[in-house]
C-alpha cells in the first residue's frame, strides 16, 4: 500500500449514482443464485474473497503488529516491480513495496484465510468482514455534507425497497457465503464457538454511514478543530443500530438498518448545528 495513494473523494454525482449501481449488482447476484447452482457460485466467491480477505486483513493488522516486533527484528525491504516497454517509454504496471513485517502479517492473515475456507467459521468471517469495513472507511471520503445527505438518502430508499419491497436482499444475504456481513451468534451461550443461529449486519450498514461518522464532511468542526460532530454522529450511529435491533426483535423480521441509521446520522448532527447556529456553515 503506497502512502502516496490518495483516498477517493465521493462527489455528488457519484453519490446519486451509487444506489442505482448497488441495485443492479444486487439484482444481478439474485438472478445468478436463481439460475446457477449455489455451490459453484459460492466456491468461486470463496476463492475471490479468500485472496481479497487476506490482503485486507494483512493491511489492517500491520500497524497494530508493529508494536509486537522486537527492536532487533531483521526487517528487510522488498519491491515488486512490473514494467512494460523499455528506455524512455518504460511504464510501471505494478510497483509494490513491502518488508519482512508485512510478510509476517500476510502469513498470519493466510492462517485466518485457510480457517475461513475450510470451516467458514463465524469468527474468521467477522475478522475478514471487519478488515473489509476498515479498508472501505479508509478509502471513501465525502467532500461535503450535501454529498453525504445525497448518498445516505439514496441508500435509505435502496435499503428499504430491497428489504421490505422484495425478498431479494434477504435471499442474497443468506445465500451468499462470503464475508460481506458480520454475523452475531444468538446461541453463543448454549453452543459456545460452535454456534449456528446468527443475526447479520451487512458491511454496507457499517461502511456507508462511517465516512460521515468520521467527521470528514463537517467544515464547521474542522475550522474550530473540534470533534463535536464526530461524537454526535457516533452516538447517532449507536442509537440507530440499537433501534434496528430492538425493532427486529419485536417484529421478528429482517430490518433495513439504514432505515434507522440514516435519519439518526443526519438528524442528530443537524439538531446540534441548529442549536449552535451553524447550519449554513455546516453545508
Amino acid at each position: 500500500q503506497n502512502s502516496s495513494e490518495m483516498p477517493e473523494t465521493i462527489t455528488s454525482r457519484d453519490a446519486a449514482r451509487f444506489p442505482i449501481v448497488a441495485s443492479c449488482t444486487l439484482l444481478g447476484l439474485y438472478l445468478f443464485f436463481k439460475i446457477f447452482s449455489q455451490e459453484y457460485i459460492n466456491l468461486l466467491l470463496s476463492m475471490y474473497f479468500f485472496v481479497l480477505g487476506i490482503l485486507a486483513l494483512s493491511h489492517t493488522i500491520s500497524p497494530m503488529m508493529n508494536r509486537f516486533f522486537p527492536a532487533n527484528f531483521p526487517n528487510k525491504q522488498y519491491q515488486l516491480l512490473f514494467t512494460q516497454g523499455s528506455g524512455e517509454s518504460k511504464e510501471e504496471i505494478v510497483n509494490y513495496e513491502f518488508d519482512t513485517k508485512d510478510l509476517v502479517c500476510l502469513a498470519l492473515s493466510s492462517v485466518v484465510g485457510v480457517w475461513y475456507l475450510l470451516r467458514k467459521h463465524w469468527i474468521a468471517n467477522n475478522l475478514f468482514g471487519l478488515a473489509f469495513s476498515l479498508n472501505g472507511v479508509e478509502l471513501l471520503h465525502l467532500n461535503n455534507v450535501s454529498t453525504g445527505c445525497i448518498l445516505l438518502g439514496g441508500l435509505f430508499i435502496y435499503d428499504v425497497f430491497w428489504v421490505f419491497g422484495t425478498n431479494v436482499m434477504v435471499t442474497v444475504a443468506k445465500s451468499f457465503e462470503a464475508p460481506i456481513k458480520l454475523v452475531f451468534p444468538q446461541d453463543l451461550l448454549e453452543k459456545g464457538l460452535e454456534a449456528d443461529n446468527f443475526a447479520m449486519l451487512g458491511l454496507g450498514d457499517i461502511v456507508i454511514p462511517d465516512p460521515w461518522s468520521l467527521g470528514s464532511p463537517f467544515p464547521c468542526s474542522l475550522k474550530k478543530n473540534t470533534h463535536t460532530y464526530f461524537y454526535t454522529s457516533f452516538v447517532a450511529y449507536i442509537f440507530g443500530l440499537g433501534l434496528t435491533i430492538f425493532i427486529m426483535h419485536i417484529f421478528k423480521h429482517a430490518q433495513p438498518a439504514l432505515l434507522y441509521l440514516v435519519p439518526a446520522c443526519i438528524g442528530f448532527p443537524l439538531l446540534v448545528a441548529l442549536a449552535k447556529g451553524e447550519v449554513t456553515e455546516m453545508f
Side-chain angles (χ1 to χ4, degrees), residues 13 64 67 89 241:
R13 189 179 286 181
M64 289 182 282
R67 66 186 71 168
S89 62
L241 207 52

Side-chain angles (χ1 to χ4, degrees), residues 37 63 73 85 93 145 171 173-174 188 218 232 283:
S37 165
F73 183 81
I93 295 172
V145 170
T171 305
K174 285 181 175 174
L188 184 68
F218 297 111
T232 307
F283 281 92

Side-chain angles (χ1 to χ4, degrees), residues 49-70:
F49 280 99
F50 168 72
V51 175
L52 217 60
I54 287 173
L55 293 172
L57 189 60
S58 177
H59 177 55
T60 306
I61 64 169
S62 152
M64 289 182 282
M65 286 298 292
N66 274 336
R67 66 186 71 168
F68 294 108
F69 289 105

